[in-house]
Amino acid sequence: MSESKNPFEVDFESYIREGEPDKKEKSIAWSIATGLQQVDGLTPSPYLYETAKRNIEGEISIEEAKKLIDSYYESKTIRADNDKDSEEADKVSARITEILSEKSFSFTPNQLLSIHERLFKGLFYKVKAGQFRTYNITKREWALDGDTVLYANADLIRETLNYDFENEKNFDYSCLSREETVTHIARFVANIWQIHPFGEGNTRTTAVFTIKYLRSLGFAVNNEPFEKASWYFRNSLVRANYTNMQKGIYMNTEYLERFFRNILMGENNELKNRFTHIAYEDYVKKIKKIEASSEKTFGVNEKASVQIQESFGVNEKTSVQIIGIIQNTPDITLQEIAEKLGRSKRAVEMQVKKLREQGIIQRVGADKNGHWEINSSASFSPPVTE
């Protein structure tokens, strides 16, 4: 799923770069808040961005911004089909911004409940904000080809949360490296999300709680991944909690760790949604298999290919492969080279002719009983390009 840019969006990054502490802090909160709406396919309205800008500029407080947004929707007499989604996106964005702007935090399941209630009060019709779900759920996931994560039983939500929170509260981070810390945090957050305490709004609540928790641990949280890769965040949580032994798939926090390494360690890992899809791993395996087969067939792996290009001044794929083959099998014939490459003998002859004219290779002896030699000290003409 790609995240298209709203033409009415405020350039939060410009405020952040300006460095004015108050504007920077507000911009970070708004950028996270609006970006997280993508988790549920929601897009804030132009009015929300206009109101956010007024708050960042100091014209209105966050409380006034919330009231303006509430009034905006209360005053609408005619509503478009997408107004319900816009209303949720706008109101929840303002509420997230308010919570992230507050310095208070309590590491308890009740804090999780409080965040959910504040974010979604008055917005859901089937569930009540600030209450744990009372029914079991399944969700068809894009990243799992329609399969579902196994979520916690509704009867055990409170008990399971208490267990995870107690373990985390007593955990000693002092002996961990930064990398180990990220791995541990990724697993803890994945566990909380998998419990899925809430019927709706679970991921956004988990994200806000996580940001508050990380800040309480002293981390300066990079807002960009939450702003621009919130859908990846959700998919990585899915992969961290999915096992299908029949398909050879197991719980994997690798994708979530990349996300947190960007947030907490300043890394720049690519956070592409396609990476999290279960089929992508099969795709990568197939590519590696093809590369391994190519290396075995042509005698040219990626490193050797680069060395050949640098040594001989050639960068045409066929020429590189021919040199690799000759290096490994000096007595090979043109016909055999053509068969290995899956090319016509005529095409190989043309490439070999160029390499011979450049002084890179030469044939010693007869075609049948001779062999090839490579002259790496020759003076070469400019490389041939593909």
Side-chain angles (χ1 to χ4, degrees), residues 339-364:
E339 290 172 359
K340 275 184 173 290
L341 293 176
R343 304 287 296 274
S344 68
K345 184 179 178 182
R346 176 60 180 161
V348 170
E349 286 176 342
M350 291 176 65
Q351 293 296 328
V352 167
K353 182 181 178 183
K354 291 180 183 179
L355 293 172
R356 295 179 77 166
E357 289 174 349
Q358 290 176 304
I360 297 176
I361 63 174
Q362 60 179 345
R363 184 73 180 179
V364 178

Side-chain angles (χ1 to χ4, degrees), residues 158-279:
R158 171 69 75 172
E159 181 181 341
T160 310
L161 275 176
N162 286 337
Y163 176 82
D164 283 350
F165 271 74
E166 191 63 28
N167 282 345
E168 178 66 11
K169 186 180 292 184
N170 295 326
F171 187 80
D172 182 11
Y173 280 95
S174 64
C175 59
L176 299 186
S177 66
R178 181 60 65 92
E179 290 80 6
E180 292 169 332
T181 295
V182 168
T183 298
H184 178 83
I185 288 173
R187 186 67 263 170
F188 169 69
V189 174
N191 287 347
I192 297 302
W193 181 87
Q194 183 270 335
I195 294 170
H196 212 292
F198 312 104
E200 300 290 342
N202 188 69
T203 302
R204 283 175 284 177
T205 301
T206 301
V208 173
F209 178 88
T210 298
I211 294 167
K212 298 282 286 184
Y213 179 45
L214 292 174
R215 288 177 176 176
S216 76
L217 294 177
F219 288 107
V221 178
N222 176 4
N223 63 298
E224 190 171 295
F226 281 111
E227 177 190 0
K228 298 181 179 179
S230 60
W231 188 245
Y232 174 95
F233 174 61
R234 188 188 187 285
N235 287 330
S236 67
L237 287 166
V238 168
R239 288 305 310 277
N241 289 291
Y242 179 71
T243 294
N244 188 321
M245 295 180 68
Q246 188 173 359
K247 295 181 179 179
I249 303 170
Y250 299 90
M251 289 184 179
N252 187 353
T253 60
E254 172 189 350
Y255 312 101
L256 190 57
E257 287 175 37
R258 291 176 191 169
F259 184 85
F260 280 118
R261 288 172 77 93
N262 284 10
I263 288 174
L264 304 178
M265 299 175 64
E267 293 186 1
N268 193 32
N269 298 299
E270 274 196 298
L271 305 179
K272 302 292 186 182
N273 288 317
R274 67 176 180 273
F275 296 165
T276 65
H277 196 286
I278 55 174

Side-chain angles (χ1 to χ4, degrees), residues 110 113 346 381:
N110 284 338
L113 278 171
R346 176 60 180 161
S381 59

